[in-house]
């Protein structure tokens, strides 16, 4: 696990500014405490003006200026913005939307991951960049492309995707019969006699076969993996010893990030707490309360997710929100102190680098309303001051290690796709369920590792599995052998890998851990709840389960059906629990695991690294944090009364 010696970065676009500004910019970056500068991810049109006609002079120069100031450069492959001449050469390289419409050139990410011609171009320009800068002493890391999937660009219904999907299916199933069986194509006469008869699952009269869509989602995810791998293979050869990074997004589920991360050294991610709150949360009161802070758990969730993704388990925040953004429906100003808070929190969760987006606000083009560390006239904005403050504060703190947590939350992309494909209740969103489980654990003061089905499960006391529809035997064995307590959420194990109901009914293979059967399920409209033993209730979803041998009923729901059942160390929640119920279940389980519970309340959160505890206040009111601080702890930063946007860092007397 990583030894944190916190470092700062910034995203910089030398091509946006006159050359005579670069030197001063570089000097001021260093003054602000910045060490890394990410450049060139959108610079293709300035480098290759026409095919094979290159202008390197400005980029060579920019690297030298930055390097001379002592900055380390993160170079990017520029493939997120293929230039106009290239799209004109290959007009069919753009992605196609669900309605069959091509998505035109004129902004960014106008390419199709399946397009073989564009893949070759992506390899060509990567190689050209890598030959030029791969061993440049100032270039210490590479970012591949930029935010795979931003603007909903993963799933494409192009001809290239259709051809690719047919080949992928032929390799996977070997015979049309096997495919027909796996998908259940006999239903509605959907059988095919040849792989060339398979169509893409769009524009059908009513819903396409869920197994078909699920395989298509897996196929599209694999294309991102391959696209990225083509670049990393070139960079590994030509940029030896450099860290390879991609900047993933928050709340983004369209491809399997664990798979892509296998080819990277560092999982970077772009943290926009206020944009994400506005865009991805529904509850108006919640959004009003956290308007200027962001959801208290979502940054932490993504830190914990991406920290565990790469083989080396390394994570950076590649783009940190510095002030109001431009892309959510509404774009509020963060509380004073929030940029500092988000940065401290990222380091507390194991970020090696926090890099701000961007150095100077652009007075032109699409992002004119997006704040930066500096205003368009170059004067430092609030984000600059807060970044500088964090860097001074962290320089004075001891380095600490991120240790393996005792609690893990298992998160699986394909299961998210499965409920998107067949929700059964209009508001059944697997990611929201995951968010709620994660938040419940955090409010009980837990450090959490977000893990995948491929993770090593040894050493955990508790493994929480909120939303895992599809399991295989190896995972069930691994869970059993881990010795951890396991809590399963509703719909666990309810589908096979091909998206069919398991022969033995849900939870399918998980019956090895907990003998039971799910006999019937129902979805419930908003406003209606099913009480659970005076503790809380189920909403959205409830199941009628039949406990098997040795499985006890711990809680019962409204109609007398078991709501929470347990066999030895594995328990199952048979519905969508509200906050109280979930909190009670988690509390009891944590106690059974012998883990210490620290109740943080709604607005405060803690994160421990060894003996260093970071406490943050996401609420819009000052808070008394004395309940989270022991008399003998030494406060290194902050005061017990924690301000809005405030941070406390303390050295704990005992762990
Ligand atoms: C990110 C993107 C950046 C910039 C930023 C604005 O999604 O990577 O290029 O657009 O959002 O918040």
């Amino acid at each position: 696990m990583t030894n944190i010696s916190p470092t700062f970065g910034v995203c910089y676009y030398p091509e946006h500014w006159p050359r005579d500004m670069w030197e001063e910019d570089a000097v001021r970056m260093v003054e602000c405490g910045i060490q890394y500068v990410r450049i060139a991810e959108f610079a293709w049109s300035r480098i290759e003006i026409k095919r094979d006609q290159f202008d390197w002079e400005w980029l060579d120069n920019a690297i030298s200026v930055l390097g001379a100031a002592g900055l380390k450069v993160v170079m990017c492959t520029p493939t997120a913005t293929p230039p106009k001449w290239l799209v004109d050469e290959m007009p069919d390289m753009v992605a196609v939307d669900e309605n069959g419409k091509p998505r035109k050139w004129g902004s960014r990410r106008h390419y199709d991951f399946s397009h073989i011609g564009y893949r070759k171009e992506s390899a060509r320009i990567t190689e050209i960049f890598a030959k030029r800068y791969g061993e440049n002493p100032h270039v210490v890391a590479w970012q591949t492309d930029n935010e795979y999937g931003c603007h909903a660009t993963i799933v494409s219904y192009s001809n290239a995707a259709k051809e690719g999907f047919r080949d992928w299916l032929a390799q996977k199933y070997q015979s049309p019969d096997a495919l027909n069986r796996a998908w259940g194509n006999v239903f509605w006469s959907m059988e095919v006699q040849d792989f060339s008869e398979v169509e893409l699952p769009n524009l059908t009269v009513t819903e396409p076969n869920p197994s078909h869509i699920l395989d298509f989602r897996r196929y599209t995810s694999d294309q991102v993996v391959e696209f990225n791998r083509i670049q990393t293979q070139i960079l590994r050869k030509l940029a030896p010893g450099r860290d390879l990074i991609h900047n993933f997004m928050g709340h983004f589920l369209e491809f399997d990030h664990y798979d892509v991360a296998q080819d990277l050294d560092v999982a970077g991610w772009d943290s926009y707490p206020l944009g994400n709150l506005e865009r991805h949360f529904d509850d108006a009161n919640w959004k009003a309360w956290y308007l200027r802070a962001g959801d208290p758990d979502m940054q932490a969730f993504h830190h914990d997710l991406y920290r565990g993704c790469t083989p080396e388990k390394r994570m950076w925040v590649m783009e940190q929100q510095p002030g109001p953004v431009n892309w959510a429906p509404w774009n509020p100003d963060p509380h004073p102190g929030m940029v500092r808070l988000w940065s401290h929190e990222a380091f507390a969760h194991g970020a090696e680098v926090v890099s701000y987006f961007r150095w100077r606000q652009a007075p032109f083009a699409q992002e004119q309303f997006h704040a930066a560390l500096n205003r368009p006239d170059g004067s430092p904005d609030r984000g600059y001051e807060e970044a500088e403050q964090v860097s001074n504060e962290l320089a004075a703190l001891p380095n600490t290690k991120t240790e393996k947590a005792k609690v893990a939350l298992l998160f699986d992309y394909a299961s998210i796709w499965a409920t998107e494909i067949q929700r059964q209740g209009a508001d059944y969103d697997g990611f929201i369920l995951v968010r709620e489980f994660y938040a419940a654990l955090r409010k009980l003061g837990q450090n959490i590792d977000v893990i995948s089905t491929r993770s090593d499960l040894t050493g955990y006391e508790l493994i929480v599995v909120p939303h895992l529809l599809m399991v295989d035997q190896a995972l069930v064995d691994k869970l059993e052998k881990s010795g951890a307590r396991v809590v399963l959420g509703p719909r666990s194990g309810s589908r096979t890998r091909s998206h069919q109901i398991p022969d033995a009914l849900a939870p399918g293979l998980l019956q090895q851990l907990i003998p039971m059967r799910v006999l019937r399920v129902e979805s419930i409209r908003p406003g209606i709840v099913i009480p659970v033993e005076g503790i809380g209730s189920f909403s959205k979803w409830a199941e009628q389960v039949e406990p098997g041998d040795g499985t006890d009923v711990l809680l019962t729901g409204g109609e007398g059906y078991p709501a929470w059942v347990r066999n030895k160390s594995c328990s199952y929640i048979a519905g969508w629990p509200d906050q109280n119920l979930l909190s009670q279940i988690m509390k009891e389980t944590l106690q059974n695991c012998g883990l210490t519970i620290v109740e943080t309340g709604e607005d405060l959160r803690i994160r421990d690294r060894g003996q260093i505890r970071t406490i943050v206040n996401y609420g819009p009111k000052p808070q008394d944090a004395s309940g989270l601080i022991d008399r003998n702890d030494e406060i290194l930063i902050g005061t017990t009364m924690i301000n809005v946007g405030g941070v406390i860092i303390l050295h704990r007397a005992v762990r």
Side-chain angles (χ1 to χ4, degrees), residues 13 38 41-42 108 143 146-147 150-151 247 249 270 272 319 321-322 325-327 357-358 367 370:
Y13 300 89
R38 186 196 69 178
E41 77 274 22
F42 304 129
R108 60 178 173 183
Q143 174 183 298
N146 188 76
E147 288 192 342
C150 188
H151 319 303
N247 57 335
M249 287 180 283
D270 297 346
Y272 291 97
E319 297 180 14
Q321 175 166 355
V325 300
N326 65 305
W327 45 263
F357 183 89
R358 50 186 271 162
E367 296 180 348
H370 198 296

Side-chain angles (χ1 to χ4, degrees), residues 3-259:
N3 202 357
I4 304 178
S5 105
T7 313
F8 295 85
V10 77
C11 306
Y12 186 52
Y13 300 89
E15 69 275 27
H16 294 181
W17 311 105
R19 188 166 302 205
D20 59 12
M21 284 169 93
W22 298 353
E23 248 138 43
E24 197 192 327
D25 280 344
V27 169
R28 288 187 51 234
M29 285 174 196
V30 174
E31 280 169 11
C32 181
I34 285 165
Q35 290 105 326
Y36 287 86
V37 195
R38 186 196 69 178
I39 58 171
E41 77 274 22
F42 304 129
W44 196 339
S45 73
R46 275 290 168 102
I47 291 293
E48 193 176 14
I49 320 296
K50 290 184 182 157
R51 178 171 286 287
D52 297 330
Q53 187 182 311
F54 292 92
D55 176 6
W56 293 108
E57 201 256 332
W58 71 270
L59 190 52
D60 291 353
N61 208 252
I63 296 171
S64 308
V65 169
L66 297 168
L71 293 157
K72 297 174 185 164
V73 173
V74 180
M75 179 56 70
C76 302
T77 62
T79 44
T81 48
K84 177 75 164 99
W85 58 260
L86 178 52
V87 184
D88 285 346
E89 277 180 20
M90 291 192 304
D92 65 348
M93 62 169 272
V94 297
V96 172
D97 76 9
E98 208 174 345
N99 295 315
K101 288 214 181 98
R103 303 188 67 192
K104 284 172 61 181
W105 174 85
S107 59
R108 60 178 173 183
R109 301 217 55 77
H110 35 269
Y111 72 82
D112 188 321
F113 284 93
S114 296
H115 194 276
I116 303 298
Y118 188 59
R119 282 194 188 185
K120 286 190 184 138
E121 284 299 315
S122 151
R124 182 184 68 87
I125 196 70
T126 300
E127 188 169 331
I128 290 171
F129 263 61
K131 278 191 174 146
R132 190 158 192 100
Y133 300 123
E135 300 198 59
N136 183 306
H138 301 307
V139 176
V140 300
W142 287 75
Q143 174 183 298
T144 53
D145 200 283
N146 188 76
E147 288 192 342
Y148 289 135
C150 188
H151 319 303
T153 47
I154 297 296
V155 181
S156 166
Y157 299 90
S158 62
N159 275 331
K162 187 160 70 183
E163 295 306 317
F165 184 42
R166 288 172 176 169
D167 284 351
W168 186 92
L169 290 172
Q171 277 177 41
K172 176 167 177 175
Y173 291 107
Q174 300 291 315
S175 78
D177 270 0
L179 177 138
N180 287 329
R181 268 197 311 277
W183 289 6
N185 276 345
V186 59
F187 197 80
W188 291 354
S189 266
M190 294 176 292
E191 283 161 309
V192 293
Q193 304 307 323
D194 192 276
F195 288 106
S196 64
E197 292 174 15
V198 176
E199 296 291 340
L200 294 183
N202 64 325
L203 293 168
T204 49
V205 172
T206 183
E207 59 186 303
N209 187 334
S211 309
H212 182 174
I213 312 177
L214 184 60
D215 265 344
F216 185 54
R217 299 292 300 269
R218 289 191 178 115
Y219 159 78
T220 47
S221 179
D222 284 358
Q223 303 320 294
V224 184
V225 176
E226 283 179 23
F227 187 91
N228 184 66
R229 185 171 295 151
I230 290 170
Q231 297 198 359
T232 56
Q233 280 173 345
I234 294 167
L235 293 168
R236 291 263 178 242
K237 246 195 298 169
L238 299 175
R242 272 48 173 194
D243 282 333
L244 304 189
I245 309 175
H246 178 72
N247 57 335
F248 296 126
M249 287 180 283
H251 284 259
F252 193 80
L253 308 160
E254 285 182 19
F255 62 88
D256 191 317
H257 293 51
Y258 302 118
D259 287 347

Side-chain angles (χ1 to χ4, degrees), residues 457 472-483 512-513:
L457 304 185
D472 57 25
Q473 188 58 46
L475 177 69
V476 177
D477 292 343
K478 215 161 46 154
L479 281 166
E480 193 169 38
K481 275 206 209 102
S482 72
Q512 182 176 322
L513 303 185

